[in-house]
Amino acid sequence: MSYAHPVLQDVQISLRAGEVRVLAGENGAGKSTLSKIICGLVTPKAGQMLLNGAAYAPATRQQAEAQGVRMVMQELNLINTLSIAENLCLRHIPQRFGFIERKKMHVIAQEMMQKVGLGNLDPGTLVGQLGVGQRQMIEIAGNISADYKILILDEPTAMLTDREVDLLFVQIERMKQAGVGILYISHSLDETRRIAD
């Protein structure tokens, strides 16, 4: 008979508005599990969380997002058979009289893409035609454009070029100034030194 070992035990973490807190550690240390608990993707067996001093226990990702907590995961959440614009606007597709406003959707997507240095791409391009780094940046663009209090980035630079990493860090600085608390998961000590508060 085998017994399950706890993934997380005696964990305490705090995150303030406008702060970047880095989680670093070996594979299997529980970094992604902790993030998934915060984002409502995994239900903890014990413990408690507070958000702005109030009890916080999201049962789903949607509940977490409704309270302003979002996550960009290592496993991309994009649909390869849809365009960049459709992926970026999937939650709030602009419509008028029941018809999709494609021009408006492309304008919205272009603004989001511009923030992460992808303004040269056609928003009508299918996501499946993009490289892995570009898809990661599209995923990030979709999350940094929303209104939230906490953003969790799980190994966001694993597939990015140096230029894309620089663009991401510019956006992280912008989010800090806007009061967003960022939980940043990374294996890179160089990134940790560069970005962590």
Side-chain angles (χ1 to χ4, degrees):
M1 179 186 262
S2 64
Y3 295 95
H5 294 289
V7 176
L8 300 167
Q9 192 169 352
D10 297 326
V11 174
Q12 292 185 21
I13 187 169
S14 63
L15 180 64
R16 293 182 176 90
E19 175 182 63
V20 175
R21 178 75 53 137
V22 174
L23 287 181
E26 297 176 6
N27 286 337
K31 302 178 304 293
S32 294
T33 301
L34 177 61
S35 299
K36 289 177 180 178
I37 288 171
I38 295 169
C39 291
L41 297 170
V42 171
T43 303
K45 292 192 168 122
Q48 68 172 9
M49 294 184 286
L50 301 175
L51 181 62
N52 292 331
Y56 171 76
T60 65
R61 183 176 189 158
Q62 291 77 16
Q63 286 180 8
E65 289 180 355
Q67 294 184 65
V69 179
R70 298 180 66 105
M71 180 177 183
V72 176
M73 295 188 286
Q74 284 178 299
E75 310 83 32
L76 297 181
N77 216 7
L78 300 172
I79 301 171
N80 288 337
T81 54
L82 295 181
S83 71
I84 296 170
E86 290 166 331
N87 270 281
L88 289 175
C89 297
L90 198 55
R91 296 177 191 181
H92 306 288
I93 295 177
Q95 297 181 32
R96 186 170 182 182
F97 305 121
F99 294 97
I100 295 173
E101 293 185 273
R102 293 209 175 269
K103 285 185 182 178
K104 186 173 183 179
M105 184 168 59
H106 281 225
V107 168
I108 293 167
Q110 193 71 47
E111 289 172 2
M112 295 166 85
M113 292 161 58
Q114 203 70 39
K115 290 180 179 178
V116 294
L118 297 178
N120 60 328
L121 285 178
D122 176 0
T125 304
L126 292 180
V127 163
Q129 296 174 341
L130 302 175
V132 176
Q134 289 176 318
R135 282 185 289 202
Q136 182 78 26
M137 292 305 282
I138 293 296
E139 180 86 19
I140 290 167
N143 282 284
I144 65 172
S145 299
D147 182 26
Y148 45 81
K149 299 170 188 160
I150 295 173
L151 177 64
I152 300 172
L153 297 169
D154 190 358
E155 299 279 351
T157 61
M159 300 295 178
L160 302 184
T161 65
D162 289 344
R163 178 183 166 276
E164 290 168 336
V165 170
D166 289 341
L167 288 167
L168 172 61
F169 283 8
V170 166
Q171 290 307 311
I172 287 174
E173 187 58 39
R174 182 188 66 78
M175 290 183 283
K176 282 177 58 176
Q177 299 304 318
V180 177
I182 298 169
L183 191 57
Y184 190 96
I185 300 171
S186 178
H187 284 110
S188 168
L189 292 178
D190 289 338
E191 284 182 13
T192 300
R193 286 188 205 99
R194 185 175 167 189
I195 201 165
D197 291 314

